[in-house]
Amino acid sequence: VINETKVIPARLIGRKLPTGGKIELLLTRQKGENTWEALVKPGRRVTHGTRITFGEGALTGKVLAKSSLGLYTVRFKYNGDFEEILAQVGRVPLPPYIKREPSRTDKEEYQCVYAKEAGAIAAPTAGLHFTLALLDKLKRDGIHRVTLTLHVGLGTFQPVKVENIEMHKMHSEYFELSQASASQINTAKGEGRKIVAVGTTSVRTLETIASDCSVDSYQGYTDIFIYPGYQFKVVDALVTNFHLPKSTLLMLVSAFAGREFIFEAYQEAIAQKYRFYSYGDAMLIL
């Protein structure tokens, strides 16, 4: 089960009007037509009504509101197609621990080969390991492939900052699963075949809509937070990268395979000098 979401150039570098001060936006989620939720840096320079211009005036934004979580609502004005303009003025939103500016190769390499549905601010990185040749081999070997979409947003990467993890609040992320995909998954479960989720976003989507070892087609938002003690309903195996400490991703894989087992695997990975995080190596948990 793969996540077809496609990373958009969600990082925007602009100038505040009329002063010209530098403002950086990270689009996190579309809220409506021409309206987006965004992180803004530096936030102290921005208030209700602030106008920001991007790409020599190709795109103009106006701040409408700020939430209690520090996210801003921004309405954009432009002439033409928003996706095309974003491709011109936006940058690849590389994770903050990659201490360099995005390169031309990032536009392709920070994207799964099967990425299709634009809307993510980060790649579902477990999918980066799959090449077209590997997908063809899996097909020849009788491994069926089904798709879903979860637009990766803040919910996936927001670190846990509370002592009691039950108090952690996930940001909601948009997802959809088609009837065709749901039917294929349910048929496979009925036949006793394994459901292998590629990435934690695929896990969270499937487990959000799971009921009695089956899934239904659905589109909407999920804020599911999976941590040790959770009983998985659909997913039997998982392909996933090595994740950051104190992340909900690490808690999810610990829930899936057991905390001690995962920590042993991480120690082995460190000893063998595996690469961690987005552009790093992956594990298959059976």
Side-chain angles (χ1 to χ4, degrees), residues 125-143:
T125 52
L128 296 178
H129 301 280
F130 289 80
T131 62
L132 293 176
L134 179 56
L135 292 171
D136 285 341
K137 186 179 187 304
L138 291 172
K139 185 177 181 180
R140 292 196 304 272
D141 289 345
I143 308 298

Side-chain angles (χ1 to χ4, degrees), residues 34-232:
N34 302 331
T35 305
W36 285 74
E37 187 178 74
L39 290 171
V40 178
K41 187 170 68 174
R44 66 181 183 276
R45 292 185 182 175
V46 171
T47 59
H48 180 273
T50 296
R51 293 186 302 126
I52 310 163
T53 182
F54 308 92
E56 305 297 329
L59 184 67
T60 303
K62 181 179 180 180
V63 176
L64 302 181
K66 180 182 179 181
S67 74
S68 58
L69 298 173
L71 293 164
Y72 293 79
T73 300
V74 182
R75 185 173 63 223
F76 291 101
K77 286 187 177 181
Y78 52 89
N79 291 316
D81 181 79
F82 182 74
E83 284 191 27
E84 290 180 2
I85 294 171
L86 199 60
Q88 295 170 12
V89 304
R91 302 185 186 186
V92 177
L94 292 177
Y97 49 77
I98 296 180
K99 304 297 184 182
R100 61 171 174 79
E101 287 298 309
S103 66
R104 288 184 178 180
T105 57
D106 287 313
K107 287 189 175 181
E108 294 183 3
E109 292 179 353
Y110 196 57
Q111 202 79 268
C112 298
V113 295
Y114 46 73
K116 184 179 177 183
E117 303 294 336
I121 66 168
T125 52
L128 296 178
H129 301 280
F130 289 80
T131 62
L132 293 176
L134 179 56
L135 292 171
D136 285 341
K137 186 179 187 304
L138 291 172
K139 185 177 181 180
R140 292 196 304 272
D141 289 345
I143 308 298
H144 294 208
R145 185 168 81 245
V146 298
T147 63
L148 53 77
T149 298
L150 182 142
H151 289 323
V152 185
L154 291 179
T156 296
F157 296 104
Q158 193 77 8
V160 177
K161 298 179 179 179
V162 293
E163 287 295 323
N164 182 357
I165 60 173
E166 293 181 0
M167 301 299 292
H168 177 72
K169 176 65 177 173
M170 296 280 286
H171 289 275
S172 61
E173 295 165 306
Y174 178 82
F175 76 94
E176 53 185 66
L177 180 75
S178 70
Q179 184 59 59
S181 289
S183 296
Q184 286 181 272
I185 291 167
N186 292 335
T187 297
K189 289 293 285 186
E191 294 174 352
R193 290 186 280 139
K194 284 185 181 293
I195 304 301
V196 183
V198 176
T200 57
T201 58
S202 295
V203 174
R204 292 178 59 236
T205 300
L206 294 175
E207 293 296 320
T208 292
I209 52 181
S211 176
D212 297 326
C213 297
S214 65
V215 294
D216 294 318
S217 61
Y218 194 84
Q219 62 180 40
Y221 288 87
T222 180
D223 60 358
I224 188 172
F225 176 25
I226 296 175
Y227 51 86
Y230 179 84
Q231 298 298 312
F232 289 83

Side-chain angles (χ1 to χ4, degrees), residues 250-263:
L250 184 55
M251 293 179 188
L252 185 151
V253 295
S254 296
F256 189 78
R259 182 180 181 276
E260 295 306 318
F261 182 64
I262 288 297
F263 274 54

